[in-house]
Structure formats: C-alpha cells, structure tokens
Amino acid sequence: MELLNLPGKLIAAMSPPSQAIPSQTLRFVLNGRVEAIDQPPPTQTILEYLRDVAGLKGTKEGCAEGDCGACTVVLGELGAEQRMTYRAVNSCIRFLPTLDGKELVTVEGLQQPSRALHPVQQSMLDQHGSQCGFCTPGFVMSLFALYLNADAADRERVIEALSGNLCRCTGYRPIIDAALGQWKYAAPLRWSRAESQSAPHVAALEGLARGAQPGASLKYPGFHAPRSVQELADALQERPDSVLLAGGTDIGLMVTKQLRELPALIYLGEVAELARIEERPDGVWIGAAVTLTDAWPALLGRFPELKEQAARFASPPIRNSATLCGNLANGSPIGDAIPALIALGARLELRNRAQQRTVPLEDFYLGYRKTALAAGEFLTGVFIPRAADGRLLASYKVSKRVDQDISAVCATFCVHADGERIVSARLAFGGMAGVAARAHHAERALTGVGWRPAGIEAAVAALGADFKPLSDLRAGSAYRLRSAGNLLRRFYQSHAGARPALRTADALQDVG
Ligand SMILES: Cc1cc2nc3c(=O)[nH]c(=O)nc-3n(C[C@H](O)[C@H](O)[C@H](O)COP(=O)(O)OP(=O)(O)OC[C@H]3O[C@@H](n4cnc5c(N)ncnc54)[C@H](O)[C@@H]3O)c2cc1C
Ligand code: FES
Ligand code: FES
C-alpha cells in the first residue's frame, strides 16, 4: 500500500478494485489512513476500537446507548455519481465491521497541517461553546457533518443537527452561535467541502471497494456482510439462528446495555438491492437497508403530514444509521414508524431463499415482540401505497421530551370522508398495547356516526374496547387512554376547522 502526501492529508492509494481483497479483512479509512483489521470482533463497537485499540481518546463515552452524542463521529461513504456523503453517527452502538469500505473521521482528524483548528472548532472556541469539554468533541463532530453538507444553516437546521447532543453545563446558546458562525472562517486546507469531494478522496474509497461478486463479501466466523439478496437469503438459510443486523440502533444496545453475547451477525448494509428507494405509480417502495435519514424524505414527499414524526424520531446520528425496516422488523409496541405505516396501509415484502410473500404491516405483529417472520425469512422492503385524494392525515407523538425520546403514545390517523360520511378510517396507535395496532372499535364507531363531533366522541369512547394500556415509567394506563382520545379530538378539530389546532402540550393538559 502506498501513502500519498496530499495537501496536508495522508490518503492511501489502494490497489485497484479488481485485485482480490481477503474476505476476512476489514478495511476502512480512519482520519486519512487505511486501517486493515483481520477478523475484528463482530460486536466490537467503533468507540471501543477508537479508544482501546487506535488510542484515539477524543471520542468520549457518555451513555453507551446513542442518547447523549459524546461519541459522535462522522462516516463518509461513496455514493451515487461518485460523490461522498458524510454523516454523523453514534460510535458507541455501531459495530466496527460495518465500516468496511467507508471513511471514518474523528475529532482528531480535524486538525490542520499547520496545527490550526478547523473552522468548526475555532468557532466553538470563539463563542465559548465548551465548558466541561466532555461533550464538546461530539458537538464538534455533529457540527462538522453539518459543515460538510451545507454552505450555511439557519437556527432551525442547527438545532436539528444538534438534537442528538447533550450539553448540561454551557447551555446551547453559545454552541448554536458557534454553529451559525462556522462558515465565516476561511476554508481549511483539510476538510473543506470541496476537499472532501476531491478526486483523491473518491479514489481512496474506490480502492477499498470489494467489487460486486458474492465471493468478495466481508465474511469470517461471527460476521457476514452479503452483497446480494440471494447471498443474504442463502446465508440465513444456512444459519437461521443468525441475527440480522441493519443499522444496529436496537441491536447495539443488546451488547452495550444488556451485555448479551450475540449469535453470528448477517449485516444488510452492503446489499445494494436493499439500499434503494423506488418511486412507483401506485406508491413508494423502501428497501430494507435504507436509513431513516433517506426514508423519511421519500415518505414526506407523499405524506408531508408526517413531518413532525420524522423530525422527532430519535436524532440525526441515530437516523443516519437506523433503517425504516429495522424499526418495523423490531416490532416494538412503541416503534414510531409502525402506526404511521399501518395507517397508510403499508405492505411488507418478505423472502427466504426460495420464495417471497407480501404481508400487510398490520398483520405482521402477532404479539409482544412476536412477528410473522419465519425462520430463514427477512424483510426486503416495505411498500407504501399512494393515498387517495382528499385524505385527512395526521400523526402525533406524545413523549416527555420533544427530541430524542421514546413515545408514551404514538398515533397516526388516515380518514377519507365525503362530507360527514366516512369512506374509510384507519386509526393506528403505538404504546397502547403489546403491539402497535389499529383501533378497530373506534374506527367502526367513527364510521357509524360520521365525520362530526358526535362521531369523534363515539370513537373516543370505543377506544376502551380496543386497548387496555399498560402503566410503566413513561405513562400510566389511564393517561395513555385519555391521551389517545384527546389525539382523536385534536385530529378532528384541526381538520374540521371548528377550533384552531391544539398543540400537543395543550392536548395533554386536557387529560387532567
Ligand atoms: C438513542 C435512540 C433513540 C431512538 N429513538 C427512537 C424513536 O424516537 N422512535 C422509534 O421508533 N425508535 C427509536 N429508536 C429505536 C431504533 O432506532 C429504531 O427501532 C430503528 O429504526 C431500528 O433500525 P435499525 O436499522 O437500527 O435496526 P437493527 O438494530 O439493526 O435491528 C432491529 C431488529 O430488526 C431486525 N431486522 C432488521 N432488519 C431486518 C430485516 N430486513 N429483516 C428482518 N429482520 C430485520 C434485527 O434482527 C433486529 O431484531 C431509538 C434508538 C436509540 C438508540
Ligand atoms: S456515548 Fe452517548 S450517544 Fe454514544
Ligand atoms: S460542555 Fe460538557 S456538558 Fe456542556
């Protein structure tokens, strides 16, 4: 391997892609240098590798569950049209072998050849955005991802970019000021937008590519990253006890929090066929390896009413790893995408080695964390049909915090009404039972009475027949039931024009 000394940066010029790369060797670029690791432990996190093996201790561990952002790093990938995409991810829950063929940037990588700070760091310094310093590298890396993806940002975008980073001492104002000002500095030699898209960067990543043939997959005992759907199906057929790993934002916590030993992992992230979004005349198909960062815009193009749901789903670093289908497959009763897609009539595409089938999402959940997936079967994608014109659609999330919190109750309603006559009603809830589900009694009650206040009240009353919610640390049973009813009222009020729309907080006060 040859190392090129580029303007202020070392990038490895790799052997051409045609040359065989050992299947058990993970290779990625770390702060400008190629790392080659033979059979890394399948569930070793990126954070563990950085701190314990690479000696890069700038990246911190706070929560080890994707919640605080202290461990934020930036992941570069070669995407369409030979352009690099750079996104912030949480290194504490992402497994090292998922870095194959990618570029990883940590806070240490931002230093300039002259030892000057990068504009993102300089701006933090100038605006006094750091106090304890522990959370600072994570903030810097979230801002760095923003820096590489924009020429400027308004306050709203900055706040969104920082919604996965916690600071408990400085307060956010100086950090936001630093973010707003970070583009005012001269472009750095290393890590400007232009430099990050430069030919050497692209060439270095191209050099890491394994090629498309199945034999070129990263594969060793305990880890396999197939490169085609058939290879994936074969792998799962041979080892049906394997765990399918998508973004790992649920699975990562099994290791870091539950300290579980996992069976062999089959990673979906390298299957190009599953990383596609397909716009079809009758709807949109989202593949199983598509991240939430890419999936939400595809959904919002057709269903802008889901905007708040998309923005409040975890944080950007989580959404940059997590997949939409992982949320559906995980089958948590509080998976936020599930009620939304049930209300929209989504259908899952499942397959195994020999055949494929389609299952309406609402029929996929058989009980608490129990799904209709058979041994050897996996999701290839989800199809969301086009909604008929004139739909009334709304989606709500009730949680203690606005950002980065788990729902107490989550709901999406999709109703077609012709005057007061209800043509169809799909009222889907999460957090109300062991699985996310439609409220069939409430739907019938609403349809029977019609799209008027009495119809909504009938639906609210019928919710008790649909759900007997649990009490847990997020909310009590009665609170959940009353919140669910109030969300229905809010839905009606905001669409009937009878009263101005209530904000969620107002709706919650109604529960008394
Ligand atoms: C800090 C934090 C915040 C979060 N916030 C939210 C939130 O606001 N709302 C919310 O709903 N969730 C939230 N989550 C949960 C999680 O991010 C989502 O459930 C995410 O969509 C899971 O996708 P993944 O790709 O990471 O799945 P993974 O963790 O890779 O997998 C999840 C499960 O699905 C299975 N699986 C994945 N893909 C397939 C497939 N194609 N076929 C069959 N099985 C498959 C896996 O085997 C595993 O059992 C949060 C998680 C964290 C850590
Ligand atoms: S250590 Fe808190 S998000 Fe990773
Ligand atoms: S600077 Fe560390 S918590 Fe804010």
Side-chain angles (χ1 to χ4, degrees):
M1 178 197 318
E2 182 195 346
L3 284 171
L4 294 182
N5 203 349
L6 295 166
K9 181 166 192 179
L10 290 174
I11 291 237
M14 300 299 304
S15 36
S18 55
Q19 235 170 306
I21 300 169
S23 72
Q24 77 285 357
T25 305
L26 165 73
R27 296 191 323 162
F28 63 99
V29 177
L30 172 60
N31 294 336
R33 289 177 188 271
V34 172
E35 300 279 296
I37 307 167
D38 192 53
Q39 306 192 45
T43 58
Q44 181 175 43
T45 65
I46 295 174
L47 182 65
E48 285 165 345
Y49 177 77
L50 289 175
R51 293 183 60 87
D52 301 344
V53 182
L56 297 174
K57 306 217 171 174
T59 310
K60 308 295 186 206
E61 178 175 277
C63 63
E65 60 182 54
D67 253 327
C68 74
C71 66
T72 308
V73 293
V74 168
L75 205 54
E77 277 186 72
L78 191 55
E81 296 169 8
Q82 302 298 92
R83 283 195 64 78
M84 296 293 300
T85 58
Y86 287 98
R87 288 176 174 174
V89 299
N90 301 103
S91 64
C92 66
I93 51 171
R94 182 143 174 165
F95 298 146
L96 184 70
T98 67
L99 289 183
D100 196 42
K102 301 185 178 64
E103 178 170 22
L104 182 68
V105 192
T106 70
V107 72
E108 290 88 351
L110 302 194
Q111 193 180 55
Q112 298 300 297
S114 63
R115 301 186 68 81
L117 296 178
H118 187 275
V120 172
Q121 297 168 305
Q122 191 61 50
S123 198
M124 278 287 270
L125 188 66
D126 293 346
Q127 298 298 329
H128 311 287
S130 171
Q131 209 173 88
C132 84
F134 194 83
C135 63
T136 306
F139 273 100
V140 164
M141 295 314 286
S142 283
L143 294 182
F144 173 62
L146 182 64
Y147 183 88
L148 289 185
N149 282 291
D151 290 321
D154 60 15
R155 197 180 156 79
E156 195 184 343
R157 186 157 179 203
V158 165
I159 289 173
E160 210 242 327
L162 296 179
S163 61
N165 294 84
L166 281 181
C167 168
R168 293 188 178 83
C169 57
T170 303
Y172 290 87
R173 205 258 313 140
I175 299 173
I176 293 168
D177 287 348
L180 292 169
Q182 65 187 9
W183 289 276
K184 292 184 189 145
Y185 299 81
L189 192 60
R190 182 188 287 181
W191 289 121
S192 67
R193 280 191 88 186
E195 191 263 345
S196 70
Q197 297 294 342
S198 63
H201 248 111
V202 170
L205 269 284
E206 272 178 333
L208 293 179
R210 283 181 189 272
Q213 70 277 26
S217 310
L218 179 64
K219 184 179 178 187
Y220 55 90
F223 189 88
H224 183 178
R227 303 188 77 84
S228 72
V229 172
Q230 191 58 51
E231 189 188 348
L232 167 58
D234 290 345
L236 200 54
Q237 185 76 26
E238 281 152 29
R239 294 285 308 270
D241 59 330
S242 305
V243 166
L244 278 174
L245 174 69
T249 59
D250 283 314
I251 291 179
L253 275 65
M254 294 178 190
V255 175
T256 62
K257 291 283 130 173
Q258 298 167 7
L259 309 181
R260 279 170 57 182
E261 295 281 333
L262 297 184
L265 298 177
I266 299 179
Y267 178 51
L268 299 171
E270 300 296 343
V271 183
E273 296 151 85
L274 301 183
R276 288 180 305 115
I277 296 178
E278 227 176 81
E279 295 285 347
R280 299 177 183 168
D282 54 344
V284 59
W285 181 86
I286 298 177
V290 174
T291 63
L292 285 161
T293 298
D294 295 324
W296 278 120
L299 287 171
L300 295 183
R302 288 168 185 259
F303 309 105
E305 297 91 338
L306 301 181
K307 184 167 176 237
E308 190 186 336
Q309 200 66 259
R312 292 183 55 198
F313 192 116
S315 61
I318 292 288
R319 298 197 295 268
N320 288 339
S321 281
T323 60
L324 177 64
C325 284
N327 192 244
L328 306 179
N330 193 43
S332 160
I334 41 159
D336 288 333
I338 301 174
L341 296 199
I342 287 180
L344 294 172
R347 299 192 289 274
L348 292 178
E349 290 183 6
L350 314 181
R351 71 160 282 177
N352 60 17
R353 180 189 260 171
Q355 56 202 19
Q356 57 190 70
R357 63 185 176 122
T358 303
V359 176
L361 181 60
E362 63 198 85
D363 297 338
F364 183 64
Y365 305 105
L366 308 179
Y368 179 70
R369 300 254 179 197
K370 196 167 178 310
T371 70
L373 270 182
E377 209 174 31
F378 57 96
L379 267 68
T380 51
V382 58
F383 176 74
I384 303 103
R386 174 187 287 278
D389 288 344
R391 60 151 192 258
L392 305 174
L393 176 64
S395 192
Y396 305 104
K397 172 167 175 167
V398 178
S399 58
K400 289 184 178 163
R401 290 190 314 238
V402 171
D403 287 319
Q404 185 77 310
D405 204 2
I406 294 171
S407 301
V409 177
C410 188
T412 301
F413 310 133
C414 188
V415 168
H416 287 88
D418 177 10
E420 286 195 351
R421 190 175 68 87
I422 305 273
V423 180
S424 74
R426 297 176 73 90
L427 311 177
F429 288 89
M432 298 291 289
V435 294
R438 285 173 70 179
H440 289 292
H441 289 87
E443 290 174 0
R444 278 196 292 275
L446 178 63
T447 308
V449 180
W451 187 244
R452 54 201 175 88
I456 285 294
E457 289 310 317
V460 171
L463 280 177
D466 284 308
F467 301 118
K468 304 269 178 283
L470 280 176
S471 292
D472 63 14
L473 53 91
R474 275 183 281 281
S477 173
Y479 174 92
R480 284 192 155 102
L481 202 54
R482 296 185 69 183
S483 296
N486 283 341
L487 292 177
L488 274 176
R489 293 187 179 109
R490 179 181 173 189
F491 175 55
Y492 179 75
Q493 286 166 354
S494 54
H495 287 87
R499 274 176 37 194
L502 295 174
R503 291 157 41 84
T504 309
D506 301 329
L508 289 179
Q509 277 164 13
D510 288 359
V511 303

